[in-house]
Amino acid sequence: MTDTLATPTTSPAVRPAIPLPATAARAITLTGGVLTAVSAFLSWTYSSDFPGDLTVTGYPGGLQWLTFAAGLLVAGGAAAGLALGGKPVLRGRADGATVILALGALATTWYTLIAIAAELGGLANLTAGGWIAGIATVIALIGALGLPRDSAPEGNAVQRVLRYPGSRPAVHAKSLPAPVEWLLVVVLLVVALALFTYGIDTSYGELFVGFLIVVAFGIWALNRSGIGTLIRDLISRHRALAAIGAFVAAAIFPFTQSNDANATLGVNILIFGATALGLNVVVGLAGLLDLGYVAFLGVGAYTAALVSGAATSSIHVQFPFWAAALTGAAVSGIAGVLLGAPTLRVRGDYLAIVTLGFGEIFRIVVQNLDGTSGPKITNGPDGIVNIPDLNILGFDMGKAHDIGGITLGRFANYFELMLVIMAIIVLVFSRSANSRIGRAWIAIREDEIAATAMGINGFRFKLLAFALGATLAGLAGSVMAHVNFSVVPDPFVFAGSTPPNSAFLLAAVVIGGMGTVAGPIVGASLFYLLQAKLTFLQSNQLLFFGLALILFMRFRPEGIIASRRRQLEFHETEALPNETVGPDALSKTGA
């Protein structure tokens, strides 16, 4: 069994960014962290117009809670360094993680102070407490930059300053007992649920951005300290438990909400994530760039709406949900075959252009099937409205229900239904990816000519990828039609300000991690929440997303949750001396 705890070998030390004695640097960092946490209890501004009311002394409010948490993390990292005397732990050093935490505290606090000045009209709106908070984070960072560092790797300036050490040392330790590891997995899932619940419950955009800053730097620090690697190893050993636990935690989510607004976000995130996972079959496994994938979601949604008894449907039938969902999935799969059969002979940019054209053709066609420009099927721009709520085994999805003293509203009911659909899609994706067909897709993605030479029928397997991806999107679309009460052509475009659209879906897959199960789901959740929470950006949303994509492609090209294979592909020049880069290493990771 893979080791979980380790005492690594040490690396040669180099001069810190700021020359300070190690003990003094840790003491300064600890002092700065404590002052940062304490400053959250002071008033930061004179005006209560800034969201969260930061005028109160004695109790943190809004973004001050994030500064408080960041300050405690910095103080904890410095205290750990003092207690350990700078000795390496796990697969890294506490000092290296402390530098990142100090940067996170600085970014969170100064983001708040700048936001106050920008929204209230200048720095004059800051009180002494706000200035104390800003100075405290600078003190913490100065102390952290004086901490001893291991030898840094070659790379850009950011890597040379922030990456400690340049190599991960070998691991030599015994594994924990199985029950303890199971308990740790459960604890991790509880923490993940708490973080997601807090993030989705943020009531204004500034708080959500601050939350993202803290989480991003926290995860970075975990990876730097080596704990992140141990967490990944732990989950990889208990994948079944982690997967089941993740769905159980997601099912609990609606019970933690006091209103249906967050459940609305939750069910839309699941629909977006399920669609992204279907696109992951085409892009992540088979390596085919599809720029019109959202059309398959629309095909499933329109098909389900037509056969579900909607008052404005041109087909006066009402299938039960399971039949409507299967019909939507089947018609979407057929559409995938019809698109793929004549177009998959082309490759690369030409295939991308063809799929982009298909997406636009679908939107134009459904707009013209209004009884005037064409047959009356989709009602044109008006769409199909008044789709009735589902009634499954006597359970009316449109009504609130009391379960265990907790009221689940309409969107909470659909959240649980979509969670079941998501489980089916995850199962289909996982089984397909790990099958002979999945290995053929990966071979085509890596080198289609070599795959063909080995006897793989590239056209047949690519067509199968198109069909399966379209089927999964159609299944998600059948639920989306009932959730939204209606289906209109406006959302099914290549790019727009709101998801789902093809550009956002593709970004969710690439940023989340192509070829993985959790990656597209995480990417879809992040992108949907960004769109829902950052309404204060208004017309600048696409600019913000563009900057986010540039940063991800520069510093995390393999995605948030990447397979080991893609990590090695993107960081082959940074091969670690104590790790093997080759077929054996890939086979151990299941890549």
Side-chain angles (χ1 to χ4, degrees):
M1 185 179 291
T2 306
D3 299 327
T4 58
L5 298 177
T7 302
T9 58
T10 59
S11 302
V14 298
R15 184 189 302 176
I18 297 178
L20 289 172
T23 303
R26 296 187 183 101
I28 293 172
T29 307
L30 177 61
T31 302
V34 171
L35 287 176
T36 300
V38 171
S39 69
F41 291 85
L42 303 175
S43 170
W44 284 13
T45 180
Y46 299 106
S47 175
S48 59
D49 292 338
F50 188 81
D53 192 6
L54 308 186
T55 64
V56 180
T57 298
Y59 187 82
L63 284 158
Q64 287 177 324
W65 279 111
L66 299 177
T67 291
F68 174 71
L72 289 183
L73 290 174
V74 173
L82 284 170
L84 295 169
K87 295 179 180 178
V89 293
L90 301 176
R91 299 184 185 183
R93 284 183 182 269
D95 291 338
T98 304
V99 175
I100 297 170
L101 292 173
L103 279 171
L106 181 78
T108 305
T109 304
W110 278 96
Y111 161 75
T112 304
L113 299 180
I114 293 171
I116 292 173
E119 294 190 23
L120 299 183
L123 295 174
N125 292 279
L126 296 176
T127 62
W131 291 110
I132 291 173
I135 294 171
T137 57
V138 173
I139 293 174
L141 181 60
I142 291 173
L145 292 176
L147 296 173
R149 296 185 288 147
D150 293 330
S151 56
E154 294 297 326
N156 59 46
V158 175
Q159 292 173 327
R160 288 195 297 270
V161 172
L162 300 180
R163 290 182 65 189
Y164 316 77
S167 60
R168 283 195 296 262
V171 181
H172 304 288
K174 295 182 178 179
S175 300
L176 296 172
V180 176
E181 293 193 343
W182 298 341
L183 180 61
L184 288 175
V185 171
V186 172
V187 171
L188 289 173
L189 291 172
V190 171
V191 172
L193 176 61
L195 289 174
F196 179 78
T197 302
Y198 181 89
I200 204 172
D201 202 34
T202 50
S203 54
Y204 49 94
E206 294 87 348
L207 182 60
F208 181 72
V209 172
F211 168 74
L212 286 183
I213 293 173
V214 173
V215 171
F217 277 94
I219 294 175
W220 187 6
L222 283 177
N223 288 331
R224 170 61 191 91
S225 67
I227 297 176
T229 303
L230 298 184
I231 291 174
R232 288 191 292 271
D233 292 344
L234 178 66
I235 292 177
S236 66
R237 289 197 303 277
H238 303 284
R239 290 180 180 175
L241 175 62
I244 295 173
F247 278 102
V248 171
I252 294 173
F253 167 72
F255 293 89
T256 65
Q257 305 303 305
S258 58
N259 59 69
D260 220 25
N262 291 337
T264 306
L265 283 176
V267 68
N268 284 312
I269 287 172
L270 286 179
I271 292 172
F272 192 33
T275 310
L277 201 57
L279 179 59
N280 197 25
V281 175
V282 181
V283 176
L285 295 181
L288 306 172
L289 183 56
D290 189 345
L291 299 181
Y293 183 78
V294 74
F296 298 122
L297 180 70
V299 171
Y302 269 101
T303 302
L306 286 170
V307 300
S308 294
T312 55
S313 171
S314 59
I315 303 176
H316 302 291
V317 296
Q318 185 168 2
F319 289 0
F321 171 69
W322 63 269
L326 290 178
T327 303
V331 173
S332 292
I334 294 171
V337 173
L338 292 177
L339 171 65
T343 61
L344 285 176
R345 302 292 182 181
V346 300
R347 302 178 184 177
D349 299 339
Y350 300 100
L351 178 62
I353 292 172
V354 170
T355 56
L356 178 61
F358 168 72
E360 287 302 301
I361 290 171
F362 168 78
R363 182 178 60 85
I364 294 171
V365 167
V366 296
Q367 282 182 333
N368 286 285
L369 296 179
D370 56 357
T372 302
S373 302
K376 187 175 182 179
I377 299 176
T378 64
N379 297 321
D382 295 332
I384 301 173
V385 299
N386 296 326
I387 301 173
D389 281 309
L390 296 174
N391 191 303
I392 301 177
L393 300 176
F395 189 90
D396 191 344
M397 292 284 181
K399 296 181 179 178
H401 298 274
D402 290 331
I403 300 177
I406 299 175
T407 300
L408 295 183
R410 177 181 183 274
F411 289 101
N413 297 332
Y414 279 106
F415 179 91
E416 300 292 355
L417 173 63
M418 190 59 217
L419 192 61
V420 175
I421 301 296
M422 173 66 84
I424 295 172
I425 291 176
V426 168
L427 180 62
V428 171
F429 179 88
S430 300
R431 298 298 295 173
S432 300
N434 294 323
S435 67
R436 179 179 63 87
I437 296 173
R439 291 193 292 272
W441 285 335
I442 294 174
I444 293 172
R445 182 193 70 193
E446 297 299 324
D447 192 328
E448 185 174 353
I449 296 176
T452 302
M454 296 300 294
I456 295 175
N457 188 323
F459 175 77
R460 180 189 302 170
F461 281 102
K462 288 192 293 185
L463 187 62
L464 183 59
F466 253 74
L468 180 58
T471 300
L472 298 181
L475 188 59
S478 64
V479 179
M480 185 183 77
H482 291 88
V483 171
N484 295 336
F485 285 119
S486 63
V487 183
V488 294
D490 294 341
F492 307 112
V493 296
F494 169 69
S497 59
T498 59
N501 57 63
S502 294
F504 273 38
L505 285 168
L506 184 60
V509 173
V510 175
I511 298 302
M514 291 194 297
T516 64
V517 175
I521 299 175
V522 172
S525 301
L526 177 61
F527 270 81
Y528 198 92
L529 284 176
L530 283 173
Q531 175 273 140
K533 296 294 184 179
L534 302 186
T535 55
F536 67 93
L537 290 177
Q538 299 177 354
S539 59
N540 294 321
Q541 277 191 346
L542 290 179
L543 173 62
F544 178 83
F545 286 131
L547 292 174
L549 288 174
I550 292 172
L551 291 175
F552 268 109
M553 290 299 95
R554 177 62 186 87
F555 297 107
R556 188 71 179 178
E558 66 270 30
I560 298 173
I561 300 177
S563 65
R564 184 60 175 159
R565 181 189 296 272
R566 290 192 64 80
Q567 286 181 318
L568 293 175
E569 288 175 356
F570 280 105
H571 301 286
E572 186 175 358
T573 58
E574 301 171 19
L576 307 178
N578 292 306
E579 295 181 347
T580 302
V581 179
D584 294 339
L586 294 176
S587 63
K588 292 178 182 178
T589 62

